[in-house]
Amino acid sequence: MSDMAKSIVFAALMCAVLGILLTGAATALQPLQQKNVENDRRKNILLAVDLVSRDQRYTHDEISALYEEKIELFGANQAGEIVPGDRINEEPVLPIYLYIVNDKINAYIVPIDTPGVWGEISGYLAIDADGSTVRGFTITRHSETPGLGGEIERQWFQENFEGKRIVDRQGTFVSVRVARGDVERQVDEEDRPHYVDGISGATLTGHKLTEGIEQILYRYEPVSIRFRDNRADLPGDR
Amino acid sequence: MKLTRTKAFKTFAGPAWTNNPINMQMLGICSALAVTIQMNTALVMTLAMTFVITTASLIVSIMRKIIPGNIRIIVELAVIASLVILTDEFLRAFYFEMSRMLSIFVGLIITNCIIMGRTEGFAMSNPPHLAVMDGLGNAAGYGSVLLSVAFLRELFGSGKIFGYDVIPQSFYDAGYEDMGFMLLAPAAFIIIGLMAWLQKYLAGVEDEA
């Protein structure tokens, strides 16, 4: 057999062996990994409404118990009405997670999925039942540059959003925006409630996030308006 | 024959100390900067790297006589890449938080020049038991630097070791502050630079220049 043929046979065999090995490992470990991802998703929803703390560790069971007790998935239709969660696969109905205490809505959580610089940024933004104050913000997944845009996964950045307002004093929707640098230095005093501190070296990530959050919150405005007017009710046939 | 005179021991001790991949050869700096903010991540990175380099050296060394010369680099790379993917999958299944913290740096073990260098430069031309010792030695050399840098950065940067507070509250009350600079990548550069200088001095290496 010539050297060339030998190399080709060797390469083919190697690909087959490594391929089988990696496929086997990936398939075998997938259920565990998916469980981790789902658990992380739930934990982030709980984090957004401050039901769990970032400094503490939780078991999977603790997270699921807390999640199932406090959080429920609903839909929000174009009129801003809250509809049962099984209708979110219908086109104009948006998914909305509700944090319910004693049959009353305490906060609502909007999933954020928006393009970043390199890939999708996913997370959750929780808003108080007043429809205008941000309760919390978390990021579950992103592929921004580590050390630059990747800093969005840091605690300080996410906690930055707490207490910010998505409407101005006149009650007009303004969303919440990422400033270029420190809010105190870059933003006029009256606009400060709508800005969070940006990350130096990550202007583009900040832009993308600002744009994404604005577009998503705009789609949720009908339901947010109902919350502001105190007209948001749980569906009767729940 | 004394243990320290055996070839296996020398193969291990060389890269672990006198020929340390980071401090002496200046390889693998990228990950040494990225994962040394905390001892935790540095330790997991060390273990992952130890697994990959030792296993890759073993496999390549066992197959060194049948690997065709003209595609050997690709074969080495494929072996290393597969081991890294296995490590990554394992971490994501069993140590999810850790894999989240290490983010892309587990995947980047593939491009760690130490591993590629050892499989090509050593495992391809030495028997398996020496290749394993060489892998372990390099991992020990790499890991010891990683852990020392992480120790200094976590201690001075956040006052913790393995996530536990070690600087007493009374220090903070007396006006002590954590050095935020230690948490940034340039701090790792400076620490590695100082360590390289110290180690070269201790080992009595003189630059030709």
Side-chain angles (χ1 to χ4, degrees), chain B residues 39 150-152 154-156 158-166:
Chain B
M39 293 288 283
F151 176 80
L152 293 171
E154 192 176 358
L155 178 65
F156 292 114
S158 35
K160 296 176 179 173
I161 293 296
F162 282 111
Y164 295 104
D165 295 307
V166 289

Side-chain angles (χ1 to χ4, degrees), chain B residues 19-202:
Chain B
N19 207 9
N20 186 293
I22 299 186
N23 283 349
M24 295 302 197
Q25 302 180 30
M26 294 294 151
L27 297 177
I29 302 278
C30 157
S31 55
L33 299 183
V35 300
T36 51
I37 294 177
Q38 299 169 351
M39 293 288 283
N40 273 335
T41 46
L43 181 66
V44 174
M45 189 68 178
T46 303
L47 294 177
M49 158 84 178
T50 307
F51 166 74
V52 173
I53 193 170
T54 312
T55 322
S57 287
L58 178 67
I59 294 173
V60 169
S61 174
I62 289 171
M63 299 199 306
R64 69 188 188 282
K65 300 219 168 94
I66 54 166
I67 295 175
N70 51 352
I71 58 165
R72 67 180 195 286
I73 300 275
I74 303 172
V75 174
E76 288 159 16
L77 200 57
V79 170
I80 296 168
S82 307
L83 289 168
V84 169
I85 293 169
L86 279 182
T87 313
D88 195 28
E89 295 274 341
F90 176 83
L91 285 178
R92 277 198 287 141
F94 297 103
Y95 298 95
F96 185 73
E97 298 271 305
M98 186 48 75
S99 77
R100 183 56 66 80
M101 275 197 269
L102 286 171
S103 66
I104 56 166
F105 293 101
V106 174
L108 283 181
I109 297 178
I110 296 174
T111 62
N112 191 320
C113 25
I114 302 171
I115 301 179
M116 195 69 205
R118 292 331 287 172
T119 48
E120 164 70 8
F122 194 90
M124 274 305 283
S125 47
N126 283 283
H129 72 283
L130 286 182
V132 167
M133 289 315 273
D134 180 71
L136 284 173
N138 275 284
Y142 173 83
S144 59
V145 174
L146 227 59
L147 288 169
S148 330
V149 176
F151 176 80
L152 293 171
R153 288 181 77 186
E154 192 176 358
L155 178 65
F156 292 114
S158 35
K160 296 176 179 173
I161 293 296
F162 282 111
Y164 295 104
D165 295 307
V166 289
I167 304 226
Q169 189 58 40
S170 55
F171 274 51
Y172 290 104
D173 295 341
Y176 174 85
E177 273 186 43
D178 290 327
M179 264 192 274
F181 173 67
M182 279 290 167
L183 302 177
L184 306 174
F189 248 131
I190 292 172
I191 295 175
I192 292 173
L194 290 172
M195 282 175 57
W197 168 65
L198 182 70
Q199 193 178 351
K200 284 192 174 169
Y201 175 76
L202 289 178

Side-chain angles (χ1 to χ4, degrees), chain A residues 40-59 63 66 109 122-126 134-141 151-163, chain B residues 38 97 100-101 160 163:
Chain A
D40 189 61
R41 196 182 70 81
R42 290 179 164 199
K43 188 177 156 196
N44 272 284
I45 292 177
L46 292 171
L47 261 177
V49 286
D50 265 341
L51 278 170
V52 295
S53 141
R54 281 188 167 86
D55 308 322
Q56 240 178 299
R57 304 187 127 264
Y58 299 89
T59 64
I63 295 287
L66 203 55
I109 302 138
S122 303
Y124 294 95
L125 186 75
V134 176
R135 173 74 64 89
F137 178 60
T138 61
I139 288 192
T140 49
R141 208 157 43 85
E151 297 293 289
I152 55 173
E153 69 188 28
R154 289 294 182 89
Q155 191 171 342
W156 73 264
F157 181 73
Q158 299 179 15
E159 283 179 351
N160 216 349
F161 282 77
E162 291 168 15
Chain B
Q38 299 169 351
E97 298 271 305
R100 183 56 66 80
M101 275 197 269
K160 296 176 179 173

